[in-house]
Amino acid sequence: MSIKKIPLIIDGKQVQSTTTEWLDVLNPATQEVVAQVPLATPEEVEAAVASAQAAFKSWSKVSLTQRMRIMLKFQELVRQHTAEIAELITLEHGKTLPDAEGEVGRALEAVENACSITRLQLGEMANNAATGVDVYTLNKPLGVGVGITAFNFPVMLPAFMFPPAIACGNTFVLKPSEQDPSSTIRFVELALEAGVPAGVLNVVHGGADAVNALCEHPDVKAVSFIGSTHVGTHVYNHASKYGKRAQAMMGAKNHMVIMPDANKDRAINDLLGSAFGAAGQRCMANPVTVLVGEARSWLPEIAERAKLMKVGPGSQRDADLGPVVSPQAKARIEGLIDTGVAQGANLLVDGRNCVVVGYEQGNFVGPTMFSGVNADMDIYTQEIFGPVLCVLEAETLDEAIEIINANPNGNGTSIFTSSGYNARKFENDIDVGQIGINVPIPVPVAYFSFTGSRASKLGDLGPNGKQVISFWTQTKSVTARWFEPDHQAGSEVHTTISLK
């Protein structure tokens, strides 16, 4: 049986790479090779940027209304193909089908936000800022934009990038993860079907060489990255070095605080879902919980309920979590679990050596839970990116806040409580960019911006909402005054502007 070859998309067409370097794309539940993805040649990367640069000349002048209509058609097509896209996500990423369908839903929110471009890209105007003088702003597209995305959300992360970028009048080159590219390609194909013109949206695949080439290219004006801290720091610094506008949404170590006055059943359910859903492979997962006061007595029940969670292939809808993305990821996760035991943490639930009948070759790690964790342990300081929950304890809310604020990351945090006072104190005193109140994963809806902070983010502006429009546009300020034509009687020529 022939293996599917993942194409590049250049100038509106699928292109088979001429590279000699191909990577296998594996089904994480079986280790079956389901596709091969090319490492694009330097010439192919150059062709993608050249196509985008050429298309910018006309696309940047297309009306806001027409761009909006293409986005409206795009969201309609994505909605119609949700099941197909979700199946591709599950096949190559491993997350459960309900989780994959949820990802497509969050991607749709981002596309729908881009449908508001006729409102979001408006400038401002001051009529008669001075006598007879108007001042106004124009939000103009930048040029060629680049997006580099991680494997954990192969559709949602590209949706955070190219829909707003091209809706603003930019053109785009996307470099998706090579681990699960098929759903990304299908997502882009639907955008082209919706009417995105040739050259406006291109896709290349590759590793560090492709990323560096894109960051260094003189025709690229802005680079957006979402992924690990190590790679994100490199991309941000490298793009900035070459004069690009850059943003990087990176790693995290999110905390969920459970107060003793919380709704116990709901808090435990949401904790387990946010810690172990998608096998813990979310930058907004909750790998740490802080049990406060009497809530510390809930620890045995939390552990017992974690043991009941079902591990299975993502295609089984009743599975609570599927495999992690690769054998290498599994080995790293289990190695950190070993380290946690060696450093003295109490292993309450052990997900190592997890075997699913019929899928013995899968990259499965079961729910894992530690208590007795302190801030010096590797399982706390490192982003494990797997189904591993660390439990810390605190006497008071103030102590819990102090623990969270001492952690360098600031992607998200949440509190479960029935006290408005506690909730308000938490949201005001916590130094984290995204806060959930009785919400375990506080990613805001797409018409609000993603506002991770501190070590989780480089750059002033985040994806989605108004900030994403500011990132993908440059502001021109115009100061204008008009006179009667010189041939009319009484006309005068003034050489200064009165500010009185």
Side-chain angles (χ1 to χ4, degrees):
M1 183 177 68
S2 62
I3 301 296
K4 177 176 68 174
K5 299 282 190 179
I6 302 294
L8 312 172
I9 294 180
I10 299 175
D11 206 30
K13 300 182 291 293
Q14 288 192 3
V15 176
Q16 283 298 321
S17 177
T18 60
T19 186
T20 58
E21 297 181 87
W22 294 78
L23 301 178
D24 290 340
V25 180
L26 305 178
N27 179 339
T30 65
Q31 299 308 300
E32 174 192 5
V33 177
V34 294
Q36 289 186 319
V37 62
L39 300 184
T41 66
E43 294 77 14
E44 289 163 346
V45 174
E46 175 63 35
V49 176
S51 176
Q53 177 69 5
F56 178 72
K57 297 173 184 177
S58 57
W59 177 247
S60 60
K61 296 178 176 62
V62 169
S63 71
L64 288 170
T65 302
Q66 180 60 19
R67 288 188 236 142
M68 176 192 68
R69 287 172 177 164
I70 291 172
M71 288 295 109
L72 287 168
K73 179 64 175 176
F74 181 33
Q75 67 85 27
E76 179 186 356
L77 289 172
V78 173
R79 195 178 304 278
Q80 291 173 359
H81 291 82
T82 293
E84 175 193 357
I85 297 170
E87 287 172 1
L88 290 172
I89 294 171
T90 296
L91 178 67
E92 295 180 354
H93 175 280
K95 66 178 65 174
T96 65
L97 276 171
D99 203 358
E101 290 161 357
E103 176 183 346
V104 179
R106 295 309 295 256
L108 267 170
E109 289 183 4
V111 177
E112 288 162 352
N113 187 57
C115 294
S116 303
I117 193 62
T118 51
R119 173 181 58 82
L120 293 172
Q121 205 173 346
L122 296 179
E124 299 175 317
M125 181 173 184
N127 180 245
N128 280 325
T131 303
V133 177
D134 301 328
V135 179
Y136 53 94
T137 59
L138 307 173
N139 295 323
K140 304 291 286 184
L142 300 170
V144 180
V146 164
I148 301 162
T149 59
F151 75 88
N152 58 328
F153 287 96
V155 172
M156 185 184 76
L157 300 186
F160 283 6
M161 296 180 182
F162 78 74
I166 65 177
C168 286
N170 301 285
T171 53
F172 207 84
V173 179
L174 177 66
K175 207 299 289 183
S177 170
E178 63 277 10
Q179 292 183 280
D180 48 3
S182 292
S183 57
T184 309
I185 290 292
R186 188 68 185 113
F187 190 58
V188 169
E189 288 174 347
L190 293 176
L192 299 177
E193 185 179 335
V196 173
V200 171
L201 177 57
N202 306 272
V203 181
V204 295
H205 308 286
D209 290 344
V211 169
N212 289 337
L214 291 169
C215 289
E216 296 168 11
H217 200 289
D219 290 336
V220 170
K221 303 303 181 185
V223 177
S224 179
F225 171 88
I226 302 178
S228 70
T229 296
H230 173 71
V231 179
T233 301
H234 169 77
V235 169
Y236 181 85
N237 290 337
H238 201 62
S240 299
K241 174 183 175 181
Y242 283 86
K244 319 302 182 189
R245 182 177 293 186
Q247 62 178 189
M249 306 298 116
M250 305 185 299
K253 198 72 174 183
N254 306 317
H255 297 64
M256 177 172 162
V257 174
I258 300 181
M259 300 297 293
D261 62 3
N263 180 311
K264 180 180 178 182
D265 185 65
R266 187 58 182 268
I268 293 175
N269 275 344
D270 284 354
L271 170 64
L272 298 179
S274 62
F276 302 133
Q281 298 172 119
R282 298 176 178 138
C283 67
M284 288 298 294
N286 274 309
V288 182
T289 187
V290 184
L291 303 179
V292 178
E294 291 300 316
R296 291 175 291 186
S297 66
W298 302 356
L299 184 56
E301 183 174 346
I302 296 171
E304 289 305 310
R305 287 166 68 166
K307 292 175 184 177
L308 296 175
M309 298 185 75
K310 181 177 179 180
V311 182
S315 56
Q316 292 182 358
R317 286 191 169 271
D318 61 344
D320 295 304
L321 62 158
V324 297
V325 72
S326 68
Q328 294 79 10
K330 178 181 178 179
R332 179 179 179 276
I333 293 163
E334 292 187 338
L336 280 165
I337 296 171
D338 293 341
T339 300
V341 173
Q343 292 179 344
N346 181 23
L347 184 59
L348 298 177
V349 184
D350 189 353
R352 294 172 296 181
N353 304 311
C354 178
V355 176
V356 176
V357 176
Y359 297 87
E360 288 79 7
Q361 301 304 311
N363 309 319
F364 294 100
V365 181
T368 300
M369 186 171 161
F370 283 101
S371 65
V373 177
N374 64 55
D376 296 324
M377 294 178 175
D378 290 355
I379 55 173
Y380 180 77
T381 59
Q382 295 191 36
E383 186 179 24
I384 300 174
F385 226 59
V388 181
L389 174 63
C390 297
V391 180
L392 281 70
E393 300 181 12
E395 289 281 353
T396 65
L397 177 58
D398 282 327
E399 185 182 341
I401 290 172
E402 185 177 344
I403 290 169
I404 297 169
N405 285 347
N407 189 282
N409 295 288
N411 225 19
T413 186
S414 59
I415 184 172
F416 275 67
T417 180
S418 60
S419 166
Y421 172 82
N422 286 338
R424 192 172 189 277
K425 177 179 177 60
F426 187 78
E427 70 179 48
N428 281 286
D429 291 354
I430 208 74
D431 184 19
V432 173
Q434 298 177 115
I435 299 167
I437 297 173
N438 297 316
V439 173
I441 300 179
V443 179
V445 291
Y447 43 87
F448 285 85
S449 298
F450 189 95
T451 54
S453 62
R454 297 196 284 160
S456 296
K457 177 183 180 183
L458 290 172
D460 296 329
L461 301 170
N464 291 336
K466 294 179 180 179
Q467 288 187 16
V468 75
I469 305 303
S470 296
F471 182 80
W472 291 113
T473 59
Q474 58 183 334
T475 301
K476 288 186 177 180
S477 297
V478 180
T479 303
R481 179 177 59 176
W482 296 93
F483 305 108
E484 294 176 289
D486 288 344
H487 67 269
Q488 294 192 13
S491 65
E492 298 178 8
V493 176
H494 300 275
T495 59
T496 62
I497 297 174
S498 171
L499 298 179
K500 297 181 180 179

